[in-house]
Amino acid sequence: MPADSDASAALTLLSAAAVRERAHRMLALALDDKLPNFRIHPEKMDGVVDLVLQTTRDAYPSFQVPFHSRWRHFVANNANRWAATAGQTRWKDRSARARAEFDLAIVSVFLDAGAGPPWRYRDPKSGLAIGRSEGLGLASLGMFESGAFSANPRDPLRADADVLANLTLSDLERGLQVSGENPLVGLQGRVDLLRSLGKLVASKSDIFGRHDTPRPGGLFDRLTARVENGRLLAPVILSELLQQLGSIWPSRLTLGGIALGDCWKHPALVTDDATTGLVPLHKLSQWLAYSLIEPLQAAGIEVIDIDGLTGLAEYRNGGLFVDSGVLAFRHEADAQREHEVAAVLVVEWRALTVALLDRLADGIRKRLGLDAVSLPLAKVLEGGSWATGRRLARERRADASPPVKVISDGTVF
């Protein structure tokens, strides 16, 4: 097949639609008991709907559920840290604030791969020791507010390409409070990722420097150019993220010279083109796409087709379906082994997670008499599935680790 045909085929994988389509093909194989690593018990889904509904009611009794996004992790002790900072800042206009919020969201999400059970961030404002995503969120916010990513001391609330490109391991160790007694999984991977981000952004000034020096927040201006009649399709956010930032991800598959990002091989996913055996998941990029919706809305842009994005193929949502018995290891010994991110078992589990989240959302909407507009998947995740997965992990394992043991490099989960 010619290289340009391969490139065209590769581009079809850089979308939420491709994630959803292949995830549901994986689910169909599971329902036919044709997968090598997991069996599925769909009769247990009603119980998962019950669990997630109860978790959502406990957290949001009025069912006014916000989107699942990075902005939730900037709230601590009922205080919205970023809202307070942004409210005290004199912005030139709404676009200036949006660029800063894009900078913050992009850098913070790229730092948000799994921290590992031992790591904690000692929050200087509350004195609390906070782990996992919440801790990483507050730590990255603290770095951003201190100007750790800015080239201009008088304008700390920004992330400049040159600063990101020259970050050191000690910069992140200091900002994330990493030490021998407080280890963080995949620290070098995070440093390398932010450096790659900085170098890429610096090299694409036409994309990221339209109204400023190159910065990740320049993507806001790229997206505003895609707005039609005041509206922007949510899947367009993801497509731009994947196409503009795809090359920063390390050691991943390429096709026709195009980096495929969070995309992996599974022998059961057979197609009749160059993408055969490939399973796109794009977890961090979709998490980031969800996290860019609110800054766009605040800038006056209506974001539509939010359910065009998919559920997130990560270990809390995935753990929910294993710990609840919907998914069962075909070979019990696999529950005790550690698995590489690229392992067929992990790819299978993550793809099934995406498809099962769609089924979960449908089940919850039917119970509540709502539709996808009033209760989009982003709210089911927040309400929701992620928190229930974490709760089940805490109940079943002392360290609250996921039921599938994945070796993380700090750039996937």
Side-chain angles (χ1 to χ4, degrees):
M1 181 176 286
D4 57 346
S5 295
D6 285 357
S8 296
L11 289 173
T12 67
L13 297 175
L14 301 183
S15 69
V19 174
R20 176 165 278 122
E21 189 270 334
R22 299 209 173 192
H24 280 275
R25 287 185 58 188
M26 191 78 78
L27 177 59
L29 290 167
L31 292 168
D32 287 340
D33 200 27
K34 292 181 178 178
L35 290 180
N37 298 289
F38 287 96
R39 290 191 175 96
I40 190 166
H41 299 283
E43 71 278 4
K44 296 191 177 184
M45 278 295 291
D46 281 347
V48 179
V49 170
D50 291 336
L51 286 171
V52 174
L53 272 172
Q54 187 58 56
T55 300
T56 305
R57 287 193 177 102
D58 290 346
Y60 302 99
S62 66
F63 257 81
Q64 297 300 306
V65 185
F67 294 144
H68 188 60
S69 78
R70 193 51 159 164
W71 304 103
R72 308 289 82 76
H73 294 150
F74 300 144
V75 178
N77 281 359
N78 296 315
N80 189 322
R81 300 280 180 82
W82 172 249
T85 296
Q88 295 165 4
T89 301
R90 297 182 65 179
W91 304 103
K92 179 182 176 182
D93 51 31
R94 290 198 296 186
S95 294
R97 174 170 174 168
R99 290 184 200 104
E101 291 181 334
F102 267 49
D103 279 340
L104 171 57
I106 291 169
V107 170
S108 186
V109 166
F110 282 4
L111 287 172
D112 192 37
W119 179 82
R120 294 290 184 275
Y121 175 69
R122 178 71 65 178
D123 177 28
K125 294 187 178 180
S126 67
L128 297 174
I130 305 168
R132 301 191 183 274
S133 283
E134 291 87 346
L136 288 167
L138 289 179
S140 58
L141 176 61
M143 292 182 72
F144 186 76
E145 291 180 335
S146 74
F149 308 112
S150 173
N152 183 353
R154 284 183 274 184
D155 186 11
L157 302 179
R158 58 184 293 126
D160 285 288
D162 290 345
V163 174
L164 293 172
N166 291 287
L167 277 178
T168 66
L169 195 66
S170 61
D171 289 334
L172 274 196
E173 284 177 337
R174 184 167 54 253
L176 302 180
Q177 301 177 354
V178 177
S179 66
E181 295 74 39
N182 193 34
L184 179 72
V185 171
L187 185 65
Q188 185 65 56
R190 293 169 217 257
V191 174
D192 293 341
L193 192 61
L194 289 186
R195 284 178 183 159
S196 295
L197 172 65
K199 291 172 184 174
L200 179 72
V201 168
S203 73
K204 290 186 172 185
S205 59
D206 57 322
I207 302 293
F208 295 100
R210 291 185 174 193
H211 296 287
D212 201 342
T213 52
R215 55 192 288 197
L219 188 67
F220 169 77
D221 301 298
R222 170 77 174 188
L223 287 172
T224 57
R226 302 287 304 271
V227 172
E228 295 182 7
N229 300 318
R231 293 178 162 190
L232 180 69
L233 292 163
V236 169
I237 304 172
L238 178 65
S239 294
E240 286 290 344
L241 286 169
L242 293 173
Q243 292 187 39
Q244 301 305 334
L245 301 179
S247 63
I248 72 171
W249 302 102
S251 305
R252 301 286 163 77
L253 301 173
T254 61
L255 179 61
I258 293 175
L260 299 180
D262 184 5
C263 181
W264 311 89
K265 293 183 178 180
H266 194 292
L269 262 290
V270 179
T271 67
D272 59 3
D273 67 2
T275 68
T276 189
L278 295 177
V279 182
L281 295 162
H282 305 312
K283 181 263 171 179
L284 273 180
S285 295
Q286 292 213 77
W287 171 234
L288 180 51
Y290 281 123
S291 299
L292 297 181
I293 292 173
E294 288 161 81
L296 287 162
Q297 290 175 326
I301 296 167
E302 182 183 359
V303 180
I304 60 173
D305 191 23
I306 293 171
D307 255 30
L309 299 173
T310 78
L312 303 180
E314 51 79 57
Y315 63 86
R316 289 305 180 204
N317 286 312
L320 167 65
F321 297 115
V322 176
D323 281 336
S324 64
V326 172
L327 295 178
F329 289 101
R330 191 174 288 277
H331 309 290
E332 278 301 317
D334 284 334
Q336 306 308 318
R337 297 191 186 106
E338 289 191 332
H339 306 274
E340 297 285 349
V341 174
V344 170
L345 180 146
V346 174
V347 177
E348 190 174 304
W349 171 52
R350 295 180 70 204
L352 289 170
T353 296
V354 170
L356 288 170
L357 285 168
D358 280 345
R359 287 203 166 193
L360 173 65
D362 287 342
I364 289 174
R365 291 171 190 141
K366 286 175 184 175
R367 293 277 189 92
L368 298 174
L370 299 174
D371 60 17
V373 175
S374 53
L375 189 67
L377 183 57
K379 295 189 176 185
V380 173
L381 296 172
E382 177 61 26
S385 60
W386 191 89
T388 306
R390 171 179 275 185
R391 177 165 64 85
L392 293 184
R394 283 174 172 160
E395 291 172 357
R396 285 158 174 73
R397 290 167 294 280
D399 64 355
S401 61
V404 180
K405 302 179 188 301
V406 181
I407 301 167
S408 175
D409 67 354
T411 64
V412 176
F413 290 109

